[in-house]
Amino acid sequence: MHLKSFLSLSVVLAGLPAVAQTRFTAADYARAEKFMTYNTTPLVFHSGVRPSWISGERFYYRNTTAEGSEFILVDPAKGTRQPAFDHAKLASALGAASGAAISGSRLPFQEIDVTPDGLSVSFNYSGRRYQCDTAGNKCGDVGAATASAGGGRGGRGGRGGAGAGGRNESLSPDKKRAVMIRENNLWVRDVATGKETQLTTDGVKDFGYATDNAGWTSSDRPIVVWSPDSRKIATYQQDQRGVGEMYLVETKVGHPALRAWKYPLPGDRTVTMIQRVIIDVDAAKVIRLQMPPDQHRSTLCDDIACGGELDVQWSPDAAHLAFVSTSRDHKVEQLKLADAATGAVRDVMEEKVATFFESGNGRINWYYLPASNEVIWFSERDNWGQLYLYDLGTGKLKNQITAGAGNVTRILRVDEKNRIIYFLAVGREKSRDPYFSHFYKIGYDGKNYALLTPEDGNHDVTLSPEGYYFVDSYSKPDVPPVAVLRDSNGKLLVNLEKADISKLLATGWKPPTPFTVKARDGVTDIYGLMFKPSNLDPNRKYPIINHIYPGPQTGSVGSRSFAAARGDCDALAELGFIVVEIDGMGTPWRSKKFHEAYYGDMGDNTLPDQVAAMRQLAQRYPWIDLDRVGIYGHSGGGYATADAMFRYPDFFKVGISESGNHDNREYEDDWGEKWQGLLEDKPGSSGDNYDGQANQLQAKNLKGHLLLAHGTMDNNVPPYNTLLVVNELIKANKDFDLIMFPNAAHGYGAASNYMTRRRWDYFVRYLYGAEPPANYQLSAPAGGGRGAPPAGN
């Protein structure tokens, strides 16, 4: 009778709403942790084809399998796909040569070089360089391990990168010379002889050559673009003299170490500027471009955003250099052309906009065509990101190239001989997710438009060096990837891989659910992903958590491709939460009108759309409990989270705000001045036009539970942003929680696992009213937990 009564009580308790759970165990957390990236990604095989191109447009890629990995060699001309070598025999031969036991399915290297005849491969192993025949009969030690030559391509020349020997150098296109920074000046090294020659002599502190301005952790990698003939470089002398500084202090025993770096803020009279130069490497001569100093934003992304990319393009004969200058408020773009011999600069064309100018959401989407005296130009003037053809001599429009709904996102190739543009775009395929990227081609005249990737999905495209072929890996958030090889007309040549997620599914993992709801206006469609417990009971009520990133340069969902985990969204769902990511109005990749929805009002943070979306989801799914709503985000998401807790205190009950840029007057100048506008005083008021976006001015409204977190050495979003909020919460006598990570940067590094666990604890404690397991330890490698995007980049 006692056993029967106990079993009946157990059945009743199991059917109670989730709120009845009063304690979470280590086993609950361990079950959730199974769905973290470091546990799920290894369970996906035959995914992520990344071609390494070799001679004759052939390529190889390293393929993950259930047994380990394999190297596959593909010949597009022949339409063949085969093992790059005999893996078992090569492993045996390498073992004999190195004296180590080696498995053919778990070879101890990830990159190879294939000889032009395809008869042998070479690779680094254990500090040495080995060469083996592809039949696997013989391997030999041929010397010390080598480093990648780097240098890359870009700007119709060679862009910077790690040079020979792994130094912070930029290798010339012919790989004979490498440029480096030394004491604010540029030097060139002859790769064959090692001889070094000084190129500039007037570089000084805060006025150095080819440097970026992204804080003291930025590398000494020179930001240059080599000319195609390897005889000139385009760069600049960066002027930070008189620019305001930011200060952080390391935590340690004894006297603290002060870190200071140049950090211009919105409204500063003096900000970072660049003086553009061309350097004749043979003559060690500096040719200054005959123009006023340019805004650093017109050329220089900070090193977190894009590695410090120099947006200039050389003519094939290296006689001229084309570049774009951007005004401080991002409303004016000017295409200019410089004479490489004299430095004379000619204004080609200009475009002005009312809010902010985009070049394709961070992508370089203009193309210099000196042979035909034309230029391809990107503009959102018709509410969509389109390409236009201009006359380079007169600066006059010749014709619009692309048209209709949808945005060009990146030009991948221009076939100047046949006057064809190959480009990526989103939103051009009706009845498909408007964020899915597809690959297209079109003539300069706007004719012969063609879709080259017909499948419904998000397409990741990699072109061959000559552009005759491309690898296409396509997927959806809930559909695993397929990789194929096509020719430049879109013809399918070889089926490469189809992802195997059977082991992932065996764990109980389920993909997120894509959804569409209406925005704040009740008319505009907005899109998102929903993560649910794998054992969801439709008769229970589940708290809902909003994982937010408001943009404006990206959104909450991020990639529309398949992923085995997205941060800790899957894990939180497995703890018994409904987790949503929603791209609200004001984020990119939709229309211009959509993107500029909260221009000048960054305190909006897409929050009206987040609330509207969750209300609609709760009507659609009765197991969502809108009385228990949480929100969290990092960086820009941390900003939006605190904002949500202050502006919608009766809706959001629990928030976790990490590393937020809570007042953009305390964040780098380029960010706020692009999205909020130039800092201006309010007429008849002591405030300015940035007051409305400042979280600390709303802190007095807090009602729920708020956890703030920041790294004390964050040189992207300085921790003073969070302390501004803390100060006002104290003044308002509000209860809140705070974690400051000593000496941690923007992403917390080794402390990221701790932050993830504390995040889980906070939601469990305050959304469920339950006690989490004490001091649960995540098993991820240090720093290998959830990553976080920077706020402004």
Side-chain angles (χ1 to χ4, degrees):
M1 288 294 295
H2 290 297
L3 177 61
K4 183 177 180 180
S5 298
F6 174 75
L7 292 175
S8 298
L9 179 61
S10 299
V11 171
V12 171
L13 289 176
L16 288 176
V19 72
Q21 187 167 349
T22 59
R23 179 174 295 277
F24 281 65
T25 67
D28 293 324
Y29 272 41
R31 186 181 66 255
E33 191 183 1
K34 288 194 308 179
F35 298 116
M36 291 292 284
T37 302
Y38 48 87
N39 288 323
T40 56
T41 299
L43 302 179
V44 178
F45 309 107
H46 301 279
S47 175
V49 172
R50 291 291 178 266
S52 295
W53 300 95
I54 54 182
S55 60
E57 298 276 88
R58 295 176 302 154
F59 65 91
Y60 79 85
Y61 62 93
R62 183 174 178 268
N63 189 35
T64 59
T65 68
E67 294 74 31
S69 64
E70 61 183 359
F71 289 85
I72 301 297
L73 182 65
V74 180
D75 188 326
K78 296 179 180 179
T80 58
R81 173 197 178 278
Q82 61 190 32
F85 46 79
D86 188 312
H87 289 66
K89 287 186 176 181
L90 186 143
S92 177
L94 178 59
S98 64
I102 297 173
S103 166
S105 61
R106 299 186 181 277
L107 293 169
F109 49 86
Q110 297 189 5
E111 297 180 354
I112 60 175
D113 284 328
V114 182
T115 56
D117 60 12
L119 297 179
S120 64
V121 297
S122 56
F123 48 84
N124 293 336
Y125 168 54
S126 193
R128 305 296 298 173
R129 187 75 174 172
Y130 288 87
Q131 184 167 341
C132 309
D133 67 292
T134 54
N137 294 319
K138 184 179 180 180
C139 284
D141 183 333
V142 295
T146 60
S148 172
R153 297 179 63 192
R156 298 224 182 136
R159 183 168 288 130
R167 305 176 184 179
N168 283 326
E169 300 177 337
S170 174
L171 198 65
S172 61
D174 63 9
K175 297 181 172 54
K176 294 181 179 180
R177 294 189 281 196
V179 167
M180 71 201 81
I181 298 173
R182 184 173 296 157
E183 295 180 347
N184 302 298
N185 283 292
L186 285 175
W187 292 64
V188 64
R189 180 175 64 86
D190 185 285
V191 172
T193 66
K195 180 184 177 182
E196 296 181 351
T197 303
Q198 189 167 359
L199 295 176
T200 68
T201 59
D202 59 339
V204 295
K205 184 178 184 296
D206 299 328
F207 194 34
Y209 284 90
T211 60
D212 69 25
N213 66 321
W216 75 81
T217 60
S218 56
S219 73
D220 289 329
R221 169 182 171 272
I223 302 174
V224 302
V225 173
W226 282 91
S227 61
D229 61 5
S230 299
R231 300 179 65 179
K232 301 183 183 75
I233 57 173
T235 185
Y236 52 80
Q237 193 171 5
Q238 181 179 242
D239 192 355
Q240 299 194 99
R241 297 170 297 182
V243 173
E245 294 190 334
M246 189 63 69
Y247 306 98
L248 293 176
V249 177
E250 291 184 3
T251 301
K252 65 177 183 178
V253 175
H255 295 288
L258 177 68
R259 295 284 192 174
W261 77 105
K262 297 296 182 179
Y263 197 97
L265 296 171
D268 282 359
R269 182 182 299 273
T270 303
V271 297
T272 303
M273 303 292 285
I274 59 172
Q275 295 184 15
R276 296 180 182 272
V277 300
I278 292 171
I279 299 177
D280 184 323
V281 179
D282 292 335
K285 178 183 177 182
V286 178
I287 299 101
R288 293 191 176 274
L289 301 197
Q290 298 172 24
M291 60 179 290
D294 227 340
Q295 295 290 331
H296 72 92
R297 65 202 55 187
S298 62
T299 290
L300 183 63
C301 304
D302 78 23
D303 63 354
I304 296 173
C306 61
E309 208 170 83
L310 189 60
D311 183 6
V312 302
Q313 296 177 24
W314 284 99
S315 61
D317 62 2
H320 294 90
L321 184 75
F323 59 94
V324 173
S325 294
T326 302
S327 63
R328 180 166 177 172
D329 60 6
H330 288 269
K331 295 180 180 181
V332 182
E333 299 283 335
Q334 296 175 313
L335 176 66
K336 300 174 181 287
L337 192 63
D339 186 302
T342 66
V345 176
R346 178 172 69 87
D347 292 338
V348 177
M349 58 171 290
E350 177 182 276
E351 181 165 352
K352 297 181 180 180
V353 296
T355 53
F356 53 85
F357 189 93
E358 283 287 9
S359 62
N361 301 110
R363 304 295 190 180
I364 297 169
N365 271 337
W366 61 275
Y367 203 90
Y368 172 42
L369 301 165
S372 59
N373 204 35
E374 295 168 312
V375 64
I376 298 168
W377 186 252
F378 175 92
S379 173
E380 295 177 311
R381 67 189 63 166
D382 73 353
N383 197 38
W384 300 101
Q386 311 285 13
L387 299 179
Y388 297 80
L389 188 67
Y390 277 81
D391 185 289
L392 192 63
T394 65
K396 301 297 184 182
L397 176 66
K398 297 182 73 172
N399 61 269
Q400 183 169 341
I401 301 172
T402 60
N407 301 299
V408 174
T409 57
R410 191 170 194 179
I411 296 173
L412 290 189
R413 179 190 174 217
V414 176
D415 180 349
E416 297 185 46
K417 179 181 179 181
N418 295 303
R419 298 178 68 81
I420 298 174
I421 306 165
Y422 295 83
F423 64 95
L424 296 172
V426 296
R428 301 183 71 86
E429 301 306 311
K430 294 181 180 180
S431 303
R432 294 186 181 181
D433 187 317
Y435 294 91
F436 284 172
S437 178
H438 288 76
F439 189 40
Y440 304 85
K441 69 175 182 177
I442 195 170
Y444 287 14
D445 57 4
K447 298 178 180 179
N448 299 314
Y449 168 80
L451 170 66
L452 303 179
T453 52
E455 298 85 358
D456 184 7
N458 193 50
H459 293 261
D460 182 3
V461 170
T462 305
L463 282 175
S464 67
E466 299 301 324
Y468 299 136
Y469 309 99
F470 65 93
V471 172
D472 174 23
S473 181
Y474 58 93
S475 64
K476 298 181 181 182
D478 55 342
V479 178
V482 172
V484 298
L485 175 69
R486 299 182 184 275
D487 68 14
S488 59
N489 292 315
K491 179 182 178 181
L492 178 63
L493 301 178
V494 182
N495 289 304
L496 299 175
E497 302 294 338
K498 184 176 182 179
D500 176 4
I501 63 169
S502 57
K503 287 194 174 183
L504 178 63
L505 293 172
T507 68
W509 176 92
K510 294 181 179 179
T513 301
F515 62 83
T516 306
V517 292
K518 297 299 180 182
R520 66 187 78 181
D521 60 7
V523 176
T524 306
D525 284 340
I526 57 175
Y527 297 76
L529 296 178
M530 179 167 59
F531 304 79
K532 299 170 290 187
S534 63
N535 59 349
L536 183 136
D537 182 348
N539 296 313
R540 293 175 60 173
K541 283 281 192 178
Y542 294 87
I544 184 170
I545 296 174
N546 185 340
H547 179 214
I548 188 170
Y549 193 88
Q553 90 292 4
T554 187
S556 298
V557 174
S559 172
R560 255 57 184 195
S561 295
F562 178 86
R566 293 173 180 265
D568 63 345
C569 291
D570 305 79
L572 274 171
E574 195 62 15
L575 281 176
F577 300 100
I578 304 301
V579 183
V580 292
E581 295 180 326
I582 304 159
D583 286 338
M585 296 177 69
T587 55
W589 313 119
R590 304 285 294 280
S591 68
K592 172 68 170 173
K593 181 180 179 181
F594 186 99
H595 193 189
E596 63 187 15
Y598 67 81
Y599 171 78
D601 182 20
M602 291 186 70
D604 177 287
N605 271 314
T606 78
L607 294 174
D609 299 315
Q610 307 292 323
V611 173
M614 284 187 283
R615 291 191 186 281
Q616 292 170 67
L617 289 172
Q619 292 177 346
R620 190 178 301 175
Y621 303 109
W623 28 263
I624 292 177
D625 186 356
L626 279 189
D627 290 329
R628 293 180 290 161
V629 180
I631 185 170
Y632 77 107
H634 190 102
S635 199
Y639 171 44
T641 293
D643 194 26
M645 296 296 292
F646 302 154
R647 294 182 190 267
Y648 297 86
D650 295 318
F651 186 82
F652 293 100
K653 305 302 195 303
V654 182
I656 302 172
S657 168
E658 304 172 21
S659 303
N661 51 318
H662 298 287
D663 187 337
N664 288 290
R665 290 170 293 196
E666 191 67 15
Y667 189 53
E668 60 100 359
D669 62 326
D670 190 47
W671 182 251
E673 290 182 348
K674 179 174 183 178
W675 307 113
Q676 185 69 19
L678 297 181
L679 187 67
E680 299 173 347
D681 293 334
K682 288 182 180 179
S685 169
S686 60
D688 58 50
N689 60 317
Y690 275 57
D691 285 345
Q693 57 81 51
N695 274 350
Q696 71 272 16
L697 301 183
Q698 306 292 329
K700 61 182 180 295
N701 299 326
L702 178 66
K703 291 183 180 180
H705 296 277
L706 175 62
L707 170 61
L708 297 161
H710 220 118
T712 65
M713 297 299 285
D714 187 338
N715 68 343
N716 179 7
V717 181
Y720 312 117
N721 280 269
T722 288
L723 295 181
L724 288 171
V725 175
V726 166
N727 189 49
E728 294 304 316
L729 287 169
I730 292 171
K731 286 182 181 180
N733 196 34
K734 297 293 183 179
D735 290 342
F736 65 96
D737 294 283
L738 174 68
I739 302 175
M740 298 299 287
F741 291 101
N743 300 328
H746 194 57
Y748 306 155
S752 60
N753 295 339
Y754 178 81
M755 184 67 237
T756 299
R757 192 267 292 175
R758 289 295 303 271
R759 188 185 310 123
W760 296 2
D761 289 353
Y762 210 73
F763 284 134
V764 163
R765 184 172 284 121
Y766 294 118
L767 285 182
Y768 267 108
E771 191 63 24
N775 305 316
Y776 182 83
Q777 180 67 58
L778 290 169
S779 60
R786 173 182 170 272
N793 303 289

